[in-house]
């Protein structure tokens, strides 16, 4: 290899209009979706005779299956609509390109040459996971791998094209974001000028950030001022929203992983914004969870090392050998990591000069490497690995390519005598204490404890079996039961994250026992109030999945059809035993208010569902609107459609739907009951109409008189919560 090729190519000058702030691709932020699109990329690569994928191939595939779309167009029609346009204007290609850049940041994919990309060894490990995130497979925990990748992701990124490698930035964006939030809660706009404007990690950057936060608090500065100081235009819509949409990516990933939580402070947000037209959305603030604090503590002290740093110190002569040694000693893929390397391995690869290279790392970079009893071990905690730190132009070219191939063969060999590895158990990979209880009140010891389960029983307990899906299918999060994804498997134990769990109890209600019945009977009033409180910040994904799963619990066939890429007007489609188009309003969407617009949306949803299933024309059909609150105008609007157009809509509040799930323990609903409840009631399903329906169902089923009396009393007490659902509804 010619000498000049060993120096890393970086941009001679920033190719970006605003060079003082990090910019990230506006990618998907749901870990499951990221994994599923990576699977699509690998599928395209493996089916391609030249064994690569690119943004065009990936984008077209995603468009065909509906995971990227334009409303009103499907598959080939969507692709054809862009014929003759430049690549930069083709939305499905730019969407794929942004995701591919994220894959490269995380070390899951790499560039082979211009326009050709491939999934890495690490990426091939990651795509083996299936179903709901986080998945487990052969002792590996998907979440732990993703957390490792995020901890080691650096900007600039060597996996980027050389024109985007701005060496003035040397920072781990995800870790630095968390470190910045640890100072004080901040909104996205603040983070743009604090965490995302940092060009290094260290005391001087912390000082700069604290000064900005202090000046904002005291009124000496505003976000408008800080934007201007960085060369950003606070009055330019494109500038503000491009950086806002970019900055939120890592924040939302942090939320998905339970490291970051959201709070609100609209008054303070208005105070610090300044008089700028497009800085008005500084109302949501973010800070760290306990899990986030622990993760930050584990990773902030790692020493960030760049290939370019090694080159500056070591030059052409030794940089590849030293980089190889460092990456080998620090290799960790999932639960398996290098503990030490037999000196004979380095002799085999690098010859007798291996110790010279090792000593060079010790002396010139102050990295602690121990050589003892014929073994070499890394004692420092560093951020440097093959997949995210080694420039692909060197990693996949000789001689590094051969060295790396030999190492990976040894790493994969369980009987290797040259590499000493350790594999952590699933429980060891998990951060925190395993809690197998759904906790209502910790101080009063009010909780339902998960029963003792075998591994297979535990796997079936937490998800819908045989419903693992590929992103872009007809049902989003098809296998997910817990709407908050707060119930996971750790080894063979069920863990409930009670910080985010809303006590929907959908998982234990599928496998009821007498303890669950007693727990619900004794605490039903508190459960109703606690559920409403804990779910009050739910966004669409949580709320829509919950609504779908409530109907599944009753025995209906239902899908979450209103997700991005599905081109469906029905947020939830009920297919059996009746056809129902559901318009749902999540609590974070206008306070979850069913308004007049929602009535028309529910009717449109029903029409679309009916059209999709012409073979079911003989079964009952209904339009349903479900939300936290219902406006009086919506109730009046429904009456107009019912009386004037013979188009009734059933209006259900979240609290009524939740109550019905709890009552599935007492009343084993069958198809006739579901048709009675959900198609023969119209307008607002209040306690009066609910009582009439349940009385009829219980009489038909000859339910025990004591159970009947209990339900009557509960419905009487439920009236206040139902009537309260009309108060505070927003008609917008």
């Amino acid at each position: 290899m010619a000498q000049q090729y060993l120096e890393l190519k970086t941009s001679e000058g920033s190719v970006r209009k605003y060079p003082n702030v990090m910019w990230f691709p506006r990618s998907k932020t749901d870990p499951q979706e990221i994994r599923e699109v990576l699977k699509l990329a690998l599928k395209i690569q493996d089916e391609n005779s030249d064994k690569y994928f690119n943004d065009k191939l990936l984008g077209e595939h995603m468009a065909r299956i509906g995971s990227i779309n334009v409303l009103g167009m499907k598959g080939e029609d969507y692709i054809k609509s862009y014929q003759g346009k430049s690549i930069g204007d083709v939305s499905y290609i730019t969407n794929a390109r942004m995701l591919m850049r994220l894959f490269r940041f995380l070390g899951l994919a790499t560039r082979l040459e211009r326009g050709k990309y491939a999934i890495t060894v690490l990426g091939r490990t990651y795509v083996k996971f299936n179903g709901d995130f986080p998945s487990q497979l052969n002792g590996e925990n998907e979440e732990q791998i993703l957390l490792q990748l995020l901890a080691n992701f650096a900007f600039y990124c060597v996996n980027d094209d050389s024109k985007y490698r701005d060496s003035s930035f040397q920072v781990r964006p995800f870790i630095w974001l968390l470190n910045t939030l640890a100072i004080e809660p901040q909104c996205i706009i603040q983070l743009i000028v604090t965490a995302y404007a940092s060009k290094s990690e260290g005391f001087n950057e912390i000082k700069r950030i604290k000064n900005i936060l202090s000046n904002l608090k005291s009124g000496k500065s505003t976000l408008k001022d800080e934007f201007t100081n960085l060369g950003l235009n606070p009055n330019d819509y494109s500038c503000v929203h491009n950086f806002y949409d970019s900055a939120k990516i890592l924040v939302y990933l942090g939320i998905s992983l339970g490291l970051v939580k959201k709070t609100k402070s609209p008054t303070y947000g208005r105070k610090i914004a300044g008089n700028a037209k497009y800085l008005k959305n500084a109302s949501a603030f973010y800070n760290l969870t306990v899990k986030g604090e622990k993760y930050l503590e584990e990773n902030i002290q790692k020493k960030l090392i760049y290939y370019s740093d090694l080159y500056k110190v070591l030059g052409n002569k030794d940089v590849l050998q030293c980089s190889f040694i460092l990456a080998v000693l620090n290799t960790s893929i999932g639960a398996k990591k290098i503990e030490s390397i037999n000196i004979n391995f380095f002799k085999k690869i690098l010859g007798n000069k291996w110790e010279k290279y090792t000593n060079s790392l010790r002396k010139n970079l102050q990295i602690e490497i121990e050589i003892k009893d014929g073994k070499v071990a890394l004692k420092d905690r560093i951020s440097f690995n093959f997949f995210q730190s080694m420039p692909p132009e060197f990693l996949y070219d000789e001689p590094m390519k051969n060295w790396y191939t030999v190492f990976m063969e040894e790493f994969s060999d369980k009987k290797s005598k040259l590499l000493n590895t350790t594999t952590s158990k699933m429980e060891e990979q998990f951060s925190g204490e395993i809690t197998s209880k759904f906790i209502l009140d910790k101080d009063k010891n009010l909780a339902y404890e998960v029963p003792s389960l075998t591994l297979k029983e535990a796997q079936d307990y937490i998800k819908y079996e045989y419903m693992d899906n590929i992103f872009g299918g007809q049902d989003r999060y098809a296998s997910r039961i817990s709407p908050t994804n707060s119930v996971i498997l750790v080894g063979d134990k069920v863990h409930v994250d009670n910080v985010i769990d809303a006590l929907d109890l959908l998982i234990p209600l599928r496998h009821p026992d007498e303890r669950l019945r007693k727990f619900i009977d004794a605490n039903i009033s508190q459960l109703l109030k606690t559920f409403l409180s804990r779910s009050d910040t739910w966004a669409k994904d949580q709320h829509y999945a919950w609504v779908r799963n409530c109907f599944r619990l009753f025995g209906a066939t239902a899908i979450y059809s209103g997700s991005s890429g599905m081109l469906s007007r029905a947020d939830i489609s009920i297919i059996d035993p009746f056809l129902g188009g559901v318009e749902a309003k999540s609590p974070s969407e206008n306070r979850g208010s069913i308004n007049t617009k929602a009535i028309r949306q529910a009717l449109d949803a029903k029409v679309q569902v009916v059209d999709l299933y012409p073979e079911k024309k003989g079964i009952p059909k209904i339009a349903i609107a479900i939300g936290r609150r219902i406006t009086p105008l919506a109730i009046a609007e429904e009456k107009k459609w019912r009386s004037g157009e013979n188009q009734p809509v059933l209006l259900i509040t979240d609290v009524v739907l939740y109550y019905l799930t709890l009552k599935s323990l007492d009343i084993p609903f069958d198809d006739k009951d579901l048709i009675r409840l959900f198609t023969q009631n119209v307008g607002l399903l209040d306690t009066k109409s609910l009582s009439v329906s349940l009385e009829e169902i219980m009489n038909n089923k000859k339910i025990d008189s004591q159970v009947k009396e209990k339900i009557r009393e509960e419905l009487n007490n439920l009236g206040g919560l139902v009537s309260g659902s009309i108060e505070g509804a927003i008609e917008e």
Side-chain angles (χ1 to χ4, degrees):
M1 178 180 288
Q3 276 193 336
Q4 64 267 28
Y5 293 138
L6 296 185
E7 184 173 8
L8 183 71
K9 290 182 179 178
T10 57
S11 58
E12 295 179 0
S14 177
V15 296
R16 295 185 294 119
K17 184 177 180 181
Y18 303 106
N20 296 320
V21 181
M22 287 180 276
W23 185 88
F24 300 103
R26 289 168 291 179
S27 173
K28 298 181 185 297
T29 59
D30 183 272
Q32 183 177 340
E33 291 184 286
I34 291 169
R35 178 235 296 160
E36 296 303 327
V37 176
L38 187 69
K39 284 185 179 182
L40 296 181
L42 181 59
K43 181 175 184 288
I44 293 165
Q45 175 183 319
D46 287 346
E47 291 176 354
N48 184 348
S49 58
D50 292 326
K51 300 303 175 187
Y52 72 85
F53 71 95
N54 58 29
D55 48 10
K56 184 176 184 294
L57 294 172
L58 180 59
E60 287 181 350
H61 192 90
M62 293 174 72
R64 287 191 177 100
I65 66 170
S67 62
I68 303 176
N69 73 86
V70 170
L71 192 61
M73 288 189 192
K74 291 186 178 181
E76 292 299 334
D77 290 337
Y78 175 36
I79 294 171
K80 287 177 182 176
S81 70
Y82 282 100
Q83 283 183 352
K85 295 190 177 182
S86 63
I87 286 180
D89 294 327
V90 180
S91 65
Y92 60 82
I93 292 180
T94 56
N95 269 275
R97 184 178 296 164
M98 290 179 183
L99 272 164
M100 285 169 54
R101 198 161 177 230
L102 180 66
F103 296 159
R104 291 156 71 190
F105 284 165
L106 297 178
L108 300 169
T110 189
R111 179 183 175 182
L112 301 176
E113 58 183 86
R114 186 174 182 179
K116 296 182 179 181
Y117 302 85
I119 304 300
T120 63
V121 171
L122 184 59
R124 285 183 176 272
T125 298
Y126 197 69
V127 297
K128 291 177 182 177
F129 293 107
N130 279 302
D132 220 3
F133 179 92
S135 172
Q136 291 184 181
L137 183 68
N138 299 328
E140 295 283 6
N141 184 301
E142 180 181 15
E143 182 181 57
Q144 292 308 308
I145 293 180
L146 182 55
L147 288 171
Q148 287 175 8
L149 303 183
L150 286 167
N152 290 315
F153 156 45
F155 190 92
Y156 70 99
C157 175
V158 296
N159 283 320
D160 246 338
D161 298 347
S162 60
K163 64 180 180 179
Y164 293 117
R165 292 171 178 170
D166 184 352
S167 58
S168 66
F169 288 93
Q170 292 201 5
V171 62
R172 292 168 296 169
F174 191 66
I175 295 301
W176 198 247
L177 164 70
L178 301 185
N179 199 42
T180 304
L181 289 177
I183 299 171
E184 68 174 61
Q186 294 170 61
C187 64
I188 299 290
I189 301 289
Q190 280 176 291
L191 290 168
I192 293 171
V193 300
T194 57
Y196 292 94
S198 292
K199 294 197 171 185
S200 63
E201 300 176 13
F203 174 77
N204 288 336
E205 276 302 316
I206 291 291
K207 184 179 178 182
R208 180 189 68 84
I209 290 168
K210 285 183 175 180
N211 283 339
I212 290 174
L213 296 175
S214 176
N215 289 338
L216 290 172
K217 196 171 293 183
S218 67
K220 291 181 180 179
S221 179
T222 65
L223 288 173
K224 177 183 178 182
D225 298 329
E226 299 301 336
F227 254 61
T228 304
N229 291 341
L230 289 167
L232 306 179
N233 186 347
N235 291 306
D236 182 284
Y237 176 87
S238 177
C239 174
V240 173
H241 284 268
N242 275 337
F243 278 101
Y244 184 92
D245 290 344
S246 168
K248 72 183 183 184
I249 298 301
L250 293 184
V251 175
Y252 288 5
L253 261 175
I255 292 173
S256 297
L257 293 164
L259 306 174
V260 176
K261 59 185 177 182
K262 180 180 177 180
T263 59
K264 287 193 174 181
S265 185
T267 303
Y268 184 62
R270 285 192 294 270
K271 173 189 171 184
I272 65 176
N275 185 26
K277 187 175 181 181
Y278 298 113
L279 299 181
K280 304 300 182 185
N281 49 356
S283 59
F285 286 71
Y286 303 87
N287 60 348
L288 300 187
T289 62
V290 173
K291 180 181 177 182
E293 290 171 352
K294 185 173 181 180
Y295 173 74
L296 175 63
E297 184 181 353
E298 290 170 352
N299 288 283
I300 190 63
Q301 297 302 326
K302 284 184 180 178
K303 185 177 181 181
L304 175 59
I305 297 174
Y306 272 94
Y307 174 88
S308 54
D309 295 334
L310 294 173
Y311 183 83
K312 286 175 187 176
V313 174
L314 304 168
N316 283 296
K317 192 174 181 182
D318 297 341
V319 66
L320 290 185
Q321 293 87 339
C322 288
S323 298
F324 177 73
I325 290 171
L326 204 55
V328 163
L329 293 175
N330 200 45
T331 293
S332 175
I333 300 179
K336 187 176 181 180
K337 64 176 291 186
I338 291 293
E339 191 72 20
S340 63
I341 301 290
N342 190 301
I343 61 173
N344 290 325
F345 172 77
F346 284 134
K347 284 182 179 179
K348 174 183 173 182
I349 299 293
L350 303 175
N352 292 327
K353 290 185 177 181
W354 72 270
E355 197 164 2
K356 170 202 165 191
Y357 304 133
T358 304
N359 289 333
S360 186
L361 286 169
R362 289 160 145 179
K363 178 181 177 182
N364 295 313
L365 283 105
Q366 288 76 54
I367 297 173
E368 186 179 354
I369 299 174
E370 180 183 82
I371 303 175
K372 185 179 179 181
D373 300 327
K375 297 176 182 177
V376 186
L378 180 68
K379 294 301 179 181
D380 270 345
R381 301 184 70 235
I382 63 170
S383 283
F384 190 88
N385 60 69
F386 282 116
F387 308 105
Q388 292 169 287
S389 310
M390 279 296 301
E393 60 264 40
F394 305 140
L395 180 59
Y396 299 107
D397 199 358
E398 299 299 347
M400 183 68 78
K401 180 181 178 180
N402 180 56
W403 301 345
Y404 167 75
T405 301
V406 173
F407 168 69
M408 290 308 300
E409 287 172 354
E410 287 287 344
F411 188 76
S412 302
D413 184 358
K414 294 180 180 179
K415 297 180 180 179
S416 174
K417 295 180 180 179
L418 297 177
L419 276 58
N420 301 298
T421 62
T422 58
T423 303
S424 59
K425 296 179 180 178
M426 195 66 67
E427 292 83 354
E428 295 170 341
Q429 297 174 49
F430 180 72
S431 177
E433 181 182 345
I434 298 173
T435 303
S436 297
K437 293 180 180 180
F438 293 87
I439 299 173
L440 175 60
D441 190 322
K442 188 174 183 179
D443 294 336
K444 294 180 180 179
N445 198 29
L446 296 178
Y448 171 73
E449 187 168 355
V450 175
S452 179
L453 302 167
T454 65
L455 176 59
K456 180 64 169 68
E457 289 171 339
Q459 289 170 338
D460 296 342
Y461 186 77
I462 67 168
K463 70 175 185 176
Y464 296 113
E465 199 174 6
Y466 308 121
M467 299 191 79
D468 292 343
N469 67 317
I470 294 290
F471 177 69
Q474 66 167 344
D475 189 8
R476 187 173 172 89
Y477 305 128
S479 63
R480 179 176 297 181
I481 302 174
S482 166
T484 50
N485 202 22
S486 51
V487 185
I488 63 173
L489 203 59
V490 181
D492 60 352
K493 295 180 177 62
V494 173
H495 170 68
V496 183
D497 185 347
N498 286 284
V499 174
I500 60 174
D501 188 79
L503 277 172
D504 54 87
L505 297 178
L506 286 168
I507 286 178
L509 282 166
R510 292 177 67 242
H511 306 276
D513 56 19
E514 192 57 32
R515 290 184 303 106
L516 180 63
R517 187 184 304 276
K518 289 179 179 178
F519 173 68
I520 290 174
D521 283 348
N523 303 290
I524 191 160
S525 177
Q526 190 173 347
L527 280 168
L528 290 166
K529 293 174 183 176
T530 302
F531 170 77
L532 290 176
S533 173
R534 291 192 187 178
S535 62
D536 200 41
T537 58
W538 275 2
K540 291 180 181 181
D541 278 343
Q542 293 81 28
H543 189 251
Y544 293 6
W546 173 71
V547 172
R548 176 199 64 189
N549 294 349
C550 289
F551 282 99
R552 283 185 177 176
L553 180 69
F554 301 144
T557 301
I559 61 174
Y560 172 0
S561 53
S563 170
S564 171
M566 297 182 184
L567 304 176
S568 173
R569 296 189 183 280
D571 297 325
I572 296 90
S573 299
I574 301 167
I575 304 164
D576 196 65
F578 58 89
L579 286 178
V582 180
E583 172 65 25
K585 295 297 181 186
S586 65
S588 62
E589 186 181 3
N590 259 358
R591 304 192 75 213
S593 301
I594 298 296
N595 52 24
T596 53
K597 182 181 177 182
I599 303 301
R600 295 188 293 276
Q601 290 171 323
L603 290 166
D604 288 344
K606 182 193 78 170
V607 170
Q608 187 180 61
V609 172
V610 171
D611 286 346
L612 284 171
Y613 299 95
E615 72 278 9
K616 294 178 178 283
K617 61 182 179 181
I619 69 174
K621 305 164 185 67
I622 188 67
I624 304 175
I626 299 174
R628 185 58 45 107
R629 298 167 177 84
I630 300 175
T631 71
L633 287 175
I635 296 172
E637 181 76 3
E638 188 279 331
K639 288 179 181 177
K640 290 179 186 177
W641 280 93
R642 188 191 337 151
S643 59
E645 304 292 335
N646 195 27
Q647 294 285 340
V649 179
L650 177 61
L651 310 178
I652 308 177
T653 58
D654 289 346
V655 68
V656 167
L657 189 60
Y658 178 59
Y659 176 75
L660 285 171
T661 65
L662 300 183
K663 291 302 96 184
S664 66
L665 281 173
D666 296 320
I667 307 173
F669 297 115
D670 59 26
D671 287 356
K672 288 182 180 179
D673 302 331
L674 299 183
I675 291 170
R676 170 69 183 89
L677 258 177
F678 296 108
T679 71
Q680 294 174 17
N681 282 302
V682 292
L684 178 63
L685 186 62
D686 56 16
T687 51
K688 182 179 179 181
S689 53
L690 181 61
S691 177
V692 171
S693 298
L694 292 183
E695 283 286 346
E696 182 181 319
I697 291 169
M698 289 190 292
N699 288 335
N700 289 338
K701 290 183 174 300
K702 296 181 171 53
I703 298 294
D704 182 80
S705 59
Q706 288 184 330
V707 173
K708 286 183 181 178
E709 188 55 40
K710 176 184 69 175
I711 289 176
R712 289 172 190 142
E713 184 179 341
E714 289 170 353
L715 285 171
N716 188 48
N717 295 330
L718 186 65
L721 284 174
V722 175
S723 60
S725 298
I726 297 175
E727 298 171 8
I730 300 173
E731 183 60 49
E732 288 182 358

